Amino acid sequence: MTRKLKISLKQHNFKTVQSTILHRKAEKWFPVIEPLLRLYGIPDDFKYIPLVESGLCEGTSPKGARGLWQFMPGTARTYGLKVGHGVDERLNLRRSTIAACKYIKELYGEFNSWTLAAAAYNNGSIKLERAINKQNEDNYFRMSLNRETGSYVYKLIAMKAIIQQPKKYGYSDYFAMTPPSSLLNFN
């Protein structure tokens, strides 16, 4: 296991986070996100982006990104969302997920790599393309990227591990409070 992955797992384990909120939100929202990802031919693991981006909260970042998928206003409009004049479709789970799918598909088309598409979702395709050209490297795991983007895919991997194996990461209280029949099956 790499150092970055260990750090991400530690940052999100129950001892640090002390919350089952992410599990509950995943249980509620993944059934909406998963079929849309399938419809657009996007790997299921991209459903973890909203957990990493926003913790499945509909807040606004200091830079102006908003909603579960944390779209900036201009990017949201580019992918068909209405933003402005009292309307903000970035807060609509279904519409924003469709916009995210279109964006992710476009990023995949540009980089021909799902891993790089995820990194570009975080950092923007222009910045990632510059890093690839400057380093003459197109393998995310061998690239030197800014702190946030350099740990982004590891955060996605950690979030998947924690959601799929909550007991392993200290979320045993979650199972005590939640009937097994209502737990998601991620296999």
PDB file of all heavy atoms in Angstrom, residues 2-5 8 119 122-123 128 140-155:
ATOM      1  N   THR A   2       0.545   2.221  -0.827  1.00  0.00           N
ATOM      2  CA  THR A   2       1.376   3.408  -0.933  1.00  0.00           C
ATOM      3  C   THR A   2       1.150   4.350   0.244  1.00  0.00           C
ATOM      4  O   THR A   2       0.115   4.307   0.920  1.00  0.00           O
ATOM      5  CB  THR A   2       1.083   4.177  -2.234  1.00  0.00           C
ATOM      6  OG1 THR A   2      -0.220   4.746  -2.141  1.00  0.00           O
ATOM      7  CG2 THR A   2       1.200   3.284  -3.446  1.00  0.00           C
ATOM      8  N   ARG A   3       2.110   5.238   0.438  1.00  0.00           N
ATOM      9  CA  ARG A   3       2.039   6.214   1.533  1.00  0.00           C
ATOM     10  C   ARG A   3       0.811   7.112   1.373  1.00  0.00           C
ATOM     11  O   ARG A   3       0.092   7.372   2.339  1.00  0.00           O
ATOM     12  CB  ARG A   3       3.326   7.040   1.546  1.00  0.00           C
ATOM     13  CG  ARG A   3       3.395   8.062   2.667  1.00  0.00           C
ATOM     14  CD  ARG A   3       4.687   8.870   2.614  1.00  0.00           C
ATOM     15  NE  ARG A   3       4.800   9.722   1.447  1.00  0.00           N
ATOM     16  CZ  ARG A   3       4.164  10.898   1.291  1.00  0.00           C
ATOM     17  NH1 ARG A   3       3.369  11.328   2.228  1.00  0.00           N
ATOM     18  NH2 ARG A   3       4.337  11.613   0.200  1.00  0.00           N
ATOM     19  N   LYS A   4       0.541   7.580   0.158  1.00  0.00           N
ATOM     20  CA  LYS A   4      -0.606   8.464  -0.078  1.00  0.00           C
ATOM     21  C   LYS A   4      -1.921   7.772   0.240  1.00  0.00           C
ATOM     22  O   LYS A   4      -2.842   8.378   0.780  1.00  0.00           O
ATOM     23  CB  LYS A   4      -0.607   8.979  -1.515  1.00  0.00           C
ATOM     24  CG  LYS A   4       0.461  10.003  -1.789  1.00  0.00           C
ATOM     25  CD  LYS A   4       0.365  10.502  -3.211  1.00  0.00           C
ATOM     26  CE  LYS A   4       1.445  11.514  -3.506  1.00  0.00           C
ATOM     27  NZ  LYS A   4       1.385  12.017  -4.883  1.00  0.00           N
ATOM     28  N   LEU A   5      -2.031   6.497  -0.106  1.00  0.00           N
ATOM     29  CA  LEU A   5      -3.250   5.756   0.188  1.00  0.00           C
ATOM     30  C   LEU A   5      -3.398   5.561   1.696  1.00  0.00           C
ATOM     31  O   LEU A   5      -4.487   5.723   2.247  1.00  0.00           O
ATOM     32  CB  LEU A   5      -3.268   4.411  -0.534  1.00  0.00           C
ATOM     33  CG  LEU A   5      -4.526   3.575  -0.345  1.00  0.00           C
ATOM     34  CD1 LEU A   5      -5.790   4.352  -0.727  1.00  0.00           C
ATOM     35  CD2 LEU A   5      -4.435   2.301  -1.172  1.00  0.00           C
ATOM     36  N   SER A   8      -4.681   8.777   3.148  1.00  0.00           N
ATOM     37  CA  SER A   8      -6.097   8.987   2.840  1.00  0.00           C
ATOM     38  C   SER A   8      -6.992   8.090   3.681  1.00  0.00           C
ATOM     39  O   SER A   8      -8.028   8.529   4.174  1.00  0.00           O
ATOM     40  CB  SER A   8      -6.362   8.741   1.356  1.00  0.00           C
ATOM     41  OG  SER A   8      -5.796   9.762   0.586  1.00  0.00           O
ATOM     42  N   ALA A 119      -8.375  12.738 -12.251  1.00  0.00           N
ATOM     43  CA  ALA A 119      -7.446  13.794 -11.843  1.00  0.00           C
ATOM     44  C   ALA A 119      -7.816  15.115 -12.517  1.00  0.00           C
ATOM     45  O   ALA A 119      -7.783  16.180 -11.876  1.00  0.00           O
ATOM     46  CB  ALA A 119      -6.009  13.405 -12.192  1.00  0.00           C
ATOM     47  N   ASN A 122     -10.636  16.978 -10.965  1.00  0.00           N
ATOM     48  CA  ASN A 122     -10.207  17.759  -9.806  1.00  0.00           C
ATOM     49  C   ASN A 122      -9.427  19.000 -10.198  1.00  0.00           C
ATOM     50  O   ASN A 122      -9.630  20.072  -9.646  1.00  0.00           O
ATOM     51  CB  ASN A 122      -9.365  16.879  -8.871  1.00  0.00           C
ATOM     52  CG  ASN A 122      -8.766  17.666  -7.740  1.00  0.00           C
ATOM     53  OD1 ASN A 122      -7.581  17.982  -7.756  1.00  0.00           O
ATOM     54  ND2 ASN A 122      -9.582  18.000  -6.765  1.00  0.00           N
ATOM     55  N   ASN A 123      -8.521  18.874 -11.144  1.00  0.00           N
ATOM     56  CA  ASN A 123      -7.548  19.934 -11.426  1.00  0.00           C
ATOM     57  C   ASN A 123      -7.851  20.737 -12.683  1.00  0.00           C
ATOM     58  O   ASN A 123      -7.287  21.802 -12.878  1.00  0.00           O
ATOM     59  CB  ASN A 123      -6.154  19.305 -11.555  1.00  0.00           C
ATOM     60  CG  ASN A 123      -5.044  20.303 -11.441  1.00  0.00           C
ATOM     61  OD1 ASN A 123      -5.131  21.270 -10.707  1.00  0.00           O
ATOM     62  ND2 ASN A 123      -3.978  20.076 -12.176  1.00  0.00           N
ATOM     63  N   LEU A 128      -3.807  19.737 -16.112  1.00  0.00           N
ATOM     64  CA  LEU A 128      -3.297  18.373 -16.175  1.00  0.00           C
ATOM     65  C   LEU A 128      -2.511  18.153 -17.464  1.00  0.00           C
ATOM     66  O   LEU A 128      -1.443  17.539 -17.442  1.00  0.00           O
ATOM     67  CB  LEU A 128      -4.430  17.354 -16.041  1.00  0.00           C
ATOM     68  CG  LEU A 128      -3.970  15.904 -15.936  1.00  0.00           C
ATOM     69  CD1 LEU A 128      -3.123  15.688 -14.677  1.00  0.00           C
ATOM     70  CD2 LEU A 128      -5.152  14.966 -15.931  1.00  0.00           C
ATOM     71  N   TYR A 140      -0.670   8.789 -13.946  1.00  0.00           N
ATOM     72  CA  TYR A 140      -0.994   9.580 -12.751  1.00  0.00           C
ATOM     73  C   TYR A 140      -0.110   9.209 -11.566  1.00  0.00           C
ATOM     74  O   TYR A 140       0.369  10.082 -10.842  1.00  0.00           O
ATOM     75  CB  TYR A 140      -2.470   9.381 -12.394  1.00  0.00           C
ATOM     76  CG  TYR A 140      -2.853   9.974 -11.059  1.00  0.00           C
ATOM     77  CD1 TYR A 140      -3.228  11.309 -10.965  1.00  0.00           C
ATOM     78  CD2 TYR A 140      -2.839   9.210  -9.892  1.00  0.00           C
ATOM     79  CE1 TYR A 140      -3.574  11.867  -9.744  1.00  0.00           C
ATOM     80  CE2 TYR A 140      -3.186   9.763  -8.674  1.00  0.00           C
ATOM     81  CZ  TYR A 140      -3.547  11.085  -8.601  1.00  0.00           C
ATOM     82  OH  TYR A 140      -3.889  11.638  -7.387  1.00  0.00           O
ATOM     83  N   PHE A 141       0.102   7.924 -11.369  1.00  0.00           N
ATOM     84  CA  PHE A 141       0.804   7.446 -10.180  1.00  0.00           C
ATOM     85  C   PHE A 141       2.305   7.742 -10.216  1.00  0.00           C
ATOM     86  O   PHE A 141       2.984   7.608  -9.203  1.00  0.00           O
ATOM     87  CB  PHE A 141       0.538   5.954  -9.975  1.00  0.00           C
ATOM     88  CG  PHE A 141      -0.929   5.672  -9.768  1.00  0.00           C
ATOM     89  CD1 PHE A 141      -1.712   5.179 -10.798  1.00  0.00           C
ATOM     90  CD2 PHE A 141      -1.528   5.944  -8.544  1.00  0.00           C
ATOM     91  CE1 PHE A 141      -3.067   4.942 -10.605  1.00  0.00           C
ATOM     92  CE2 PHE A 141      -2.883   5.714  -8.348  1.00  0.00           C
ATOM     93  CZ  PHE A 141      -3.652   5.215  -9.376  1.00  0.00           C
ATOM     94  N   ARG A 142       2.829   8.148 -11.359  1.00  0.00           N
ATOM     95  CA  ARG A 142       4.244   8.514 -11.465  1.00  0.00           C
ATOM     96  C   ARG A 142       4.438  10.022 -11.640  1.00  0.00           C
ATOM     97  O   ARG A 142       5.560  10.488 -11.729  1.00  0.00           O
ATOM     98  CB  ARG A 142       4.897   7.779 -12.640  1.00  0.00           C
ATOM     99  CG  ARG A 142       5.008   6.273 -12.415  1.00  0.00           C
ATOM    100  CD  ARG A 142       5.900   5.611 -13.442  1.00  0.00           C
ATOM    101  NE  ARG A 142       5.454   5.806 -14.806  1.00  0.00           N
ATOM    102  CZ  ARG A 142       4.992   4.855 -15.610  1.00  0.00           C
ATOM    103  NH1 ARG A 142       4.929   3.614 -15.180  1.00  0.00           N
ATOM    104  NH2 ARG A 142       4.618   5.120 -16.844  1.00  0.00           N
ATOM    105  N   MET A 143       3.350  10.733 -11.688  1.00  0.00           N
ATOM    106  CA  MET A 143       3.435  12.176 -11.922  1.00  0.00           C
ATOM    107  C   MET A 143       3.619  12.953 -10.622  1.00  0.00           C
ATOM    108  O   MET A 143       3.208  12.502  -9.555  1.00  0.00           O
ATOM    109  CB  MET A 143       2.169  12.674 -12.634  1.00  0.00           C
ATOM    110  CG  MET A 143       2.027  12.143 -14.038  1.00  0.00           C
ATOM    111  SD  MET A 143       0.515  12.704 -14.833  1.00  0.00           S
ATOM    112  CE  MET A 143       0.938  14.427 -15.098  1.00  0.00           C
ATOM    113  N   SER A 144       4.207  14.106 -10.759  1.00  0.00           N
ATOM    114  CA  SER A 144       4.337  15.043  -9.657  1.00  0.00           C
ATOM    115  C   SER A 144       3.293  16.137  -9.887  1.00  0.00           C
ATOM    116  O   SER A 144       3.429  16.947 -10.810  1.00  0.00           O
ATOM    117  CB  SER A 144       5.746  15.636  -9.627  1.00  0.00           C
ATOM    118  OG  SER A 144       5.842  16.592  -8.604  1.00  0.00           O
ATOM    119  N   LEU A 145       2.253  16.123  -9.076  1.00  0.00           N
ATOM    120  CA  LEU A 145       1.145  17.063  -9.237  1.00  0.00           C
ATOM    121  C   LEU A 145       0.996  17.902  -7.976  1.00  0.00           C
ATOM    122  O   LEU A 145       1.573  17.572  -6.934  1.00  0.00           O
ATOM    123  CB  LEU A 145      -0.156  16.295  -9.526  1.00  0.00           C
ATOM    124  CG  LEU A 145      -0.136  15.453 -10.798  1.00  0.00           C
ATOM    125  CD1 LEU A 145      -1.282  14.465 -10.814  1.00  0.00           C
ATOM    126  CD2 LEU A 145      -0.195  16.355 -12.022  1.00  0.00           C
ATOM    127  N   ASN A 146       0.187  18.954  -8.050  1.00  0.00           N
ATOM    128  CA  ASN A 146      -0.041  19.751  -6.844  1.00  0.00           C
ATOM    129  C   ASN A 146      -0.616  18.857  -5.746  1.00  0.00           C
ATOM    130  O   ASN A 146      -1.115  17.768  -6.014  1.00  0.00           O
ATOM    131  CB  ASN A 146      -0.929  20.961  -7.133  1.00  0.00           C
ATOM    132  CG  ASN A 146      -2.360  20.589  -7.465  1.00  0.00           C
ATOM    133  OD1 ASN A 146      -3.028  19.865  -6.724  1.00  0.00           O
ATOM    134  ND2 ASN A 146      -2.847  21.075  -8.583  1.00  0.00           N
ATOM    135  N   ARG A 147      -0.519  19.313  -4.539  1.00  0.00           N
ATOM    136  CA  ARG A 147      -0.885  18.495  -3.371  1.00  0.00           C
ATOM    137  C   ARG A 147      -2.287  17.901  -3.470  1.00  0.00           C
ATOM    138  O   ARG A 147      -2.497  16.722  -3.241  1.00  0.00           O
ATOM    139  CB  ARG A 147      -0.750  19.357  -2.117  1.00  0.00           C
ATOM    140  CG  ARG A 147      -0.978  18.638  -0.848  1.00  0.00           C
ATOM    141  CD  ARG A 147      -0.858  19.621   0.297  1.00  0.00           C
ATOM    142  NE  ARG A 147      -0.762  18.935   1.551  1.00  0.00           N
ATOM    143  CZ  ARG A 147      -0.108  19.412   2.580  1.00  0.00           C
ATOM    144  NH1 ARG A 147       0.512  20.551   2.486  1.00  0.00           N
ATOM    145  NH2 ARG A 147      -0.094  18.742   3.698  1.00  0.00           N
ATOM    146  N   GLU A 148      -3.255  18.737  -3.822  1.00  0.00           N
ATOM    147  CA  GLU A 148      -4.639  18.270  -3.875  1.00  0.00           C
ATOM    148  C   GLU A 148      -4.852  17.226  -4.966  1.00  0.00           C
ATOM    149  O   GLU A 148      -5.418  16.161  -4.725  1.00  0.00           O
ATOM    150  CB  GLU A 148      -5.581  19.456  -4.091  1.00  0.00           C
ATOM    151  CG  GLU A 148      -7.043  19.056  -4.065  1.00  0.00           C
ATOM    152  CD  GLU A 148      -7.975  20.228  -4.298  1.00  0.00           C
ATOM    153  OE1 GLU A 148      -7.557  21.386  -4.167  1.00  0.00           O
ATOM    154  OE2 GLU A 148      -9.140  19.961  -4.621  1.00  0.00           O
ATOM    155  N   THR A 149      -4.397  17.516  -6.171  1.00  0.00           N
ATOM    156  CA  THR A 149      -4.591  16.589  -7.284  1.00  0.00           C
ATOM    157  C   THR A 149      -3.722  15.349  -7.125  1.00  0.00           C
ATOM    158  O   THR A 149      -4.130  14.248  -7.494  1.00  0.00           O
ATOM    159  CB  THR A 149      -4.303  17.288  -8.627  1.00  0.00           C
ATOM    160  OG1 THR A 149      -5.107  18.477  -8.688  1.00  0.00           O
ATOM    161  CG2 THR A 149      -4.636  16.393  -9.802  1.00  0.00           C
ATOM    162  N   GLY A 150      -2.531  15.510  -6.544  1.00  0.00           N
ATOM    163  CA  GLY A 150      -1.641  14.376  -6.312  1.00  0.00           C
ATOM    164  C   GLY A 150      -2.199  13.359  -5.334  1.00  0.00           C
ATOM    165  O   GLY A 150      -1.821  12.188  -5.357  1.00  0.00           O
ATOM    166  N   SER A 151      -3.121  13.797  -4.477  1.00  0.00           N
ATOM    167  CA  SER A 151      -3.733  12.861  -3.526  1.00  0.00           C
ATOM    168  C   SER A 151      -5.179  12.519  -3.890  1.00  0.00           C
ATOM    169  O   SER A 151      -5.806  11.677  -3.246  1.00  0.00           O
ATOM    170  CB  SER A 151      -3.692  13.442  -2.113  1.00  0.00           C
ATOM    171  OG  SER A 151      -4.487  14.622  -2.032  1.00  0.00           O
ATOM    172  N   TYR A 152      -5.715  13.125  -4.942  1.00  0.00           N
ATOM    173  CA  TYR A 152      -7.135  12.994  -5.279  1.00  0.00           C
ATOM    174  C   TYR A 152      -7.561  11.557  -5.574  1.00  0.00           C
ATOM    175  O   TYR A 152      -8.537  11.063  -5.000  1.00  0.00           O
ATOM    176  CB  TYR A 152      -7.461  13.903  -6.471  1.00  0.00           C
ATOM    177  CG  TYR A 152      -8.934  14.031  -6.748  1.00  0.00           C
ATOM    178  CD1 TYR A 152      -9.750  14.778  -5.916  1.00  0.00           C
ATOM    179  CD2 TYR A 152      -9.514  13.413  -7.854  1.00  0.00           C
ATOM    180  CE1 TYR A 152     -11.094  14.918  -6.167  1.00  0.00           C
ATOM    181  CE2 TYR A 152     -10.853  13.550  -8.120  1.00  0.00           C
ATOM    182  CZ  TYR A 152     -11.644  14.300  -7.273  1.00  0.00           C
ATOM    183  OH  TYR A 152     -12.994  14.424  -7.531  1.00  0.00           O
ATOM    184  N   VAL A 153      -6.859  10.882  -6.452  1.00  0.00           N
ATOM    185  CA  VAL A 153      -7.238   9.507  -6.809  1.00  0.00           C
ATOM    186  C   VAL A 153      -7.083   8.597  -5.590  1.00  0.00           C
ATOM    187  O   VAL A 153      -7.893   7.692  -5.377  1.00  0.00           O
ATOM    188  CB  VAL A 153      -6.433   9.004  -8.022  1.00  0.00           C
ATOM    189  CG1 VAL A 153      -6.658   7.515  -8.268  1.00  0.00           C
ATOM    190  CG2 VAL A 153      -6.818   9.798  -9.270  1.00  0.00           C
ATOM    191  N   TYR A 154      -6.082   8.855  -4.765  1.00  0.00           N
ATOM    192  CA  TYR A 154      -5.911   8.064  -3.544  1.00  0.00           C
ATOM    193  C   TYR A 154      -7.095   8.272  -2.590  1.00  0.00           C
ATOM    194  O   TYR A 154      -7.529   7.343  -1.913  1.00  0.00           O
ATOM    195  CB  TYR A 154      -4.597   8.427  -2.850  1.00  0.00           C
ATOM    196  CG  TYR A 154      -3.384   8.032  -3.665  1.00  0.00           C
ATOM    197  CD1 TYR A 154      -2.739   8.954  -4.479  1.00  0.00           C
ATOM    198  CD2 TYR A 154      -2.908   6.722  -3.654  1.00  0.00           C
ATOM    199  CE1 TYR A 154      -1.641   8.591  -5.240  1.00  0.00           C
ATOM    200  CE2 TYR A 154      -1.809   6.347  -4.413  1.00  0.00           C
ATOM    201  CZ  TYR A 154      -1.180   7.288  -5.206  1.00  0.00           C
ATOM    202  OH  TYR A 154      -0.096   6.924  -5.968  1.00  0.00           O
ATOM    203  N   LYS A 155      -7.621   9.482  -2.557  1.00  0.00           N
ATOM    204  CA  LYS A 155      -8.812   9.747  -1.736  1.00  0.00           C
ATOM    205  C   LYS A 155     -10.008   8.964  -2.265  1.00  0.00           C
ATOM    206  O   LYS A 155     -10.807   8.437  -1.487  1.00  0.00           O
ATOM    207  CB  LYS A 155      -9.131  11.237  -1.716  1.00  0.00           C
ATOM    208  CG  LYS A 155      -8.168  12.059  -0.900  1.00  0.00           C
ATOM    209  CD  LYS A 155      -8.509  13.531  -0.984  1.00  0.00           C
ATOM    210  CE  LYS A 155      -7.472  14.369  -0.264  1.00  0.00           C
ATOM    211  NZ  LYS A 155      -7.724  15.810  -0.407  1.00  0.00           N
TER     212      LYS A 155
END
